[in-house]
């Protein structure tokens, strides 16, 4: 009798355990991720196809910081108007998750503005930043903060920097802010009035700039386009370190979104100049090293490195050695080959596989838990 009673209660116990297990929440994200990322750093090597990465690696003693990324994927770079994308449509795909026409900055096929991940991060109270070795009004950075039917409307694009509360930006294009043709506004002064610490290459070196943690920061590295690495430009690794440290402490506990562009890998491709490509590739890799140092210590930062497209149809021809690459090119424009994606940190696993360039936007948002 007692044995029967005990068996009954034991069965009841098993049944309730089973029910508890069934009602425990199962979320699809758990299969992929430990925890959401707090910060996202998207690094875009403009025109950086696999050969650009390869040539940089061999010429750097067969090593790159990129090699320490645990997850590698590939994206399909074509735009809404062409199999061969430009940087405007390419960056708009990352920033807003849509395929649009070549030349479009943060607008869709019908020229209607679309929200960018930087703007969404701002709305969420996150800190935000952009750093580039091109002009800040050029297509890649512009597509994260501006909305323009044409990538050529540089002064209009500069105005859009004052429409968000972006916390930090470093890059060229000072003339579109300070010496404007279309109106008499001086956006350099307006930024100061809005509480930005503003400085530039004529005033002081970036290494001398004093950032006030409670104020936003803007620094112009050139009147229009910054020089090349071969001409002595070396600020991107420093700008990257300043950006992650500043945004890391300035973000009021809500995390940050930062885009860093190595812009001139593309320009070396357009010139079919292998030394230009490799020097810019290695500069970009040094910036990657600075970002990785921060991300490894921080533990809550997802780092993604990719390109908008490949430039030049760059090849490493027979007869090349580790020290001397014999380059080949098929074009002085862009090509449509699959583009590598490297990911590190919480949410990195989402970036394995082959997917559309627009998926980078949705994967970043998923990783943030947005
Ligand atoms: Mg670019
Ligand atoms: Zn290009």
């Amino acid at each position: 009798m007692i044995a029967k009673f005990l068996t009954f209660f034991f069965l009841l116990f098993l049944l309730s355990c089973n029910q508890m297990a069934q009602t425990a929440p199962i979320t699809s994200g758990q299969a992929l991720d430990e925890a959401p990322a707090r910060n996202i750093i998207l690094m875009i090597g403009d025109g950086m196809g696999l050969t650009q990465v390869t040539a940089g690696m061999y010429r750097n003693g067969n090593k790159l910081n990129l090699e320490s990324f645990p997850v590698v994927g590939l994206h399909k770079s074509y735009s809404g108007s062409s199999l061969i994308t430009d940087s405007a449509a390419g960056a708009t795909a990352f920033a807003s998750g849509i395929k649009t026409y070549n030349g479009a900055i943060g607008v869709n096929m019908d020229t209607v503005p679309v929200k960018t991940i930087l703007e969404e991060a701002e709305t969420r109270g996150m800190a935000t930043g952009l750093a580039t070795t091109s002009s800040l009004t050029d297509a890649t950075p512009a597509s994260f903060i501006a909305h323009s039917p044409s990538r050529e409307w540089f002064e209009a694009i500069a105005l859009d920097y004052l429409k968000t509360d972006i916390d930090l930006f470093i890059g060229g294009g000072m003339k579109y802010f300070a010496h404007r043709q279309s109106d008499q506004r001086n956006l350099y002064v307006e930024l100061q009035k809005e509480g930005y610490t503003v400085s530039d290459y004529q005033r002081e070196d970036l290494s001398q700039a004093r950032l006030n943690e409670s104020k936003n920061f803007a620094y112009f590295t050139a009147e229009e386009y910054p020089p090349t690495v071969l001409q002595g430009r070396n600020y991107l690794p420093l700008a990257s370190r300043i950006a992650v440290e500043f945004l890391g402490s300035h973000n009021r506990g809500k995390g940050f979104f930062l885009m860093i562009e190595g812009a001139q890998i593309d320009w070396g491709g357009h010139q079919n100049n292998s030394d230009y490509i490799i020097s810019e590739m290695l500069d970009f890799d040094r910036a990657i090293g600075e970002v990785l140092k921060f991300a490894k210590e921080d533990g809550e930062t997802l780092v993604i490195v990719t390109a908008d497209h490949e430039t030049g149809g760059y090849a490493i021809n027979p007869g090349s050695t580790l020290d001397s690459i014999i380059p080949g090119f098929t074009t002085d424009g862009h090509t449509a080959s699959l583009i590598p994606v490297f990911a590190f940190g919480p949410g990195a696993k989402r970036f394995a596989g082959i997917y559309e360039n627009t998926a980078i936007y949705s994967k970043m948002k998923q990783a943030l838990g947005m």
Side-chain angles (χ1 to χ4, degrees):
M1 189 64 186
I2 292 170
K4 257 190 177 171
F5 248 95
L6 281 176
T7 311
F8 174 73
F9 282 115
F10 183 60
L11 283 173
L12 211 67
F13 172 68
L14 279 182
L15 201 69
S16 62
C17 283
N18 189 34
Q19 269 175 345
M20 277 187 341
Q22 276 178 346
T23 51
I26 298 164
T27 60
S28 58
Q30 279 180 338
L32 277 168
D33 291 306
E34 332 71 276
R38 184 212 279 278
N39 312 313
I40 289 201
I41 304 168
L42 173 62
M43 303 185 72
I44 302 176
D46 200 313
M48 185 189 72
L50 263 186
T51 309
Q52 283 79 355
V53 174
T54 312
M57 181 184 69
Y58 287 153
R59 279 280 295 276
N60 192 45
N62 194 16
K63 60 180 193 306
L64 284 180
N65 289 311
L66 264 181
E67 289 178 72
S68 51
F69 281 66
V71 177
V72 180
L74 295 165
H75 79 70
K76 307 179 192 182
S77 66
Y78 67 91
S79 76
S81 64
S82 172
L83 191 66
I84 319 292
T85 190
D86 80 333
S87 294
T92 299
F94 301 153
S96 298
I98 58 154
K99 298 259 186 193
T100 187
Y101 60 91
N102 287 2
I105 302 288
V107 298
N108 68 16
M109 293 293 284
D110 302 318
T111 71
V112 177
V114 284
K115 237 182 188 246
T116 74
I117 190 165
L118 186 146
E119 291 167 325
E120 289 174 293
E122 278 291 335
T123 305
R124 220 187 174 210
M126 296 169 74
T128 57
L130 295 172
T132 179
T133 54
S134 181
S135 164
L136 286 157
T137 57
D138 207 9
T140 310
S143 296
F144 286 84
I145 196 163
H147 304 279
S148 171
S150 166
R151 61 180 286 170
E152 305 291 332
W153 298 354
F154 298 130
E155 293 192 353
I157 288 167
L159 271 181
D160 281 356
Y161 273 79
L162 283 85
K163 291 179 186 157
T164 71
D165 186 40
I166 180 169
D167 298 75
L168 171 144
F169 54 94
I170 300 169
M174 185 159 89
K175 72 175 192 179
Y176 303 112
F177 291 80
H179 312 113
R180 297 164 62 82
Q181 307 289 317
S182 58
D183 57 34
Q184 296 310 303
R185 291 174 69 174
N186 185 332
L187 307 186
Y188 194 108
V189 174
E190 288 187 32
L191 283 165
Q192 288 174 318
K193 283 187 186 148
E194 291 205 14
Y196 278 77
T197 303
V198 188
S199 189
D200 65 81
Y201 70 106
Q202 287 180 320
R203 189 177 300 246
E204 63 191 348
D205 194 78
L206 178 60
S207 61
Q208 273 136 22
R210 289 174 146 256
L211 283 75
N212 179 334
E213 204 187 288
S214 64
K215 298 174 84 177
N216 292 344
F217 179 71
Y219 183 91
F220 296 101
T221 59
E223 186 65 6
E224 187 167 19
Y225 296 117
T228 69
V229 165
L230 294 173
Q231 290 166 339
R233 192 202 76 240
N234 61 4
Y235 71 75
L236 193 66
L238 174 65
S240 303
R241 191 169 78 231
I242 289 173
V244 293
E245 284 174 1
F246 177 76
L247 295 175
S249 60
H250 179 79
N251 68 55
R252 302 170 294 268
K254 297 254 177 92
F256 66 81
F257 173 83
L258 169 66
M259 193 288 292
I260 297 171
E261 183 196 20
Q264 299 195 29
I265 303 167
D266 174 64
W267 305 358
H270 284 295
Q271 291 186 17
N272 286 2
N273 182 333
S274 187
D275 287 336
Y276 190 177
I277 292 172
I278 289 168
S279 57
E280 296 293 336
M281 178 68 222
L282 294 181
D283 179 65
F284 186 54
D285 190 63
R286 282 188 287 275
I288 292 167
E290 293 292 342
V291 165
L292 269 184
K293 218 182 292 170
F294 171 86
K296 281 177 181 167
E297 246 169 63
D298 177 71
E300 293 184 295
T301 301
L302 170 62
V303 185
I304 301 135
V305 183
T306 189
D308 42 5
H309 53 74
E310 195 275 342
T311 307
Y314 188 29
I316 298 172
N317 275 334
S320 299
T321 66
L322 270 184
D323 308 312
S324 109
I325 279 162
I326 301 170
F329 294 93
T330 60
T331 172
D332 62 3
H334 302 165
T335 68
S337 64
L338 286 168
I339 295 299
V341 183
F342 305 85
F344 174 94
K349 284 177 198 152
R350 296 176 191 279
F351 293 85
I354 302 179
Y355 39 83
E356 300 288 345
N357 57 357
T358 48
I360 294 193
Y361 166 82
S362 43
K363 290 175 191 295
M364 287 194 296
K365 284 188 68 172
Q366 284 160 9
L368 282 172
M370 279 166 95

